[in-house]
């Protein structure tokens, strides 16, 4: 049961959940168009969602990178 809970809560993606969510959001919209569930016009209306998902993934990567480096003190300049 704990393995099932680990899978459902995304334990396998620890530290990368934001990136996975963002890329999945973008790919799902493009995938719906690729299999024919969306027309090209509908895909164009989904561009904000696609870009938002990619932006979320980039933000997650940036935050993870900053956390890995540690906080810099701006007074040390």
């Amino acid at each position: 049961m704990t393995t099932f809970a680990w899978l459902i809560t995304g334990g396998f993606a620890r530290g990368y959940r934001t990136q996975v969510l963002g890329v999945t959001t973008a790919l799902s919209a493009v995938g719906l168009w690729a299999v024919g569930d969306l027309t090209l016009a509908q895909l164009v209306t989904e561009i904000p969602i696609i870009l938002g998902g990619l932006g979320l993934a980039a933000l997650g990567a940036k935050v993870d990178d900053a956390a890995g480096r540690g906080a810099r003190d701006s007074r040390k300049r």
Side-chain angles (χ1 to χ4, degrees):
M1 187 66 177
T2 58
T3 303
F4 182 69
W6 178 74
L7 284 172
I8 295 297
T9 60
F12 60 91
R14 177 180 287 175
Y16 298 101
R17 289 183 185 127
T18 306
Q19 290 93 330
V20 169
L21 177 65
V23 170
T24 303
T25 302
L27 288 179
S28 67
V30 174
L32 287 173
W33 170 75
V35 298
D37 287 345
L38 290 178
T39 64
L40 185 59
Q42 290 171 326
L43 179 66
V44 170
T45 62
E46 297 290 323
I47 285 177
I49 294 172
I50 295 167
L51 294 178
L54 294 175
L56 181 64
L59 176 67
K62 178 82 170 172
V63 169
D64 287 345
D65 185 45
R69 291 184 185 179
R72 291 189 339 188
D73 189 2
S74 62
R75 294 178 285 165
K76 288 185 177 180
R77 290 184 175 184

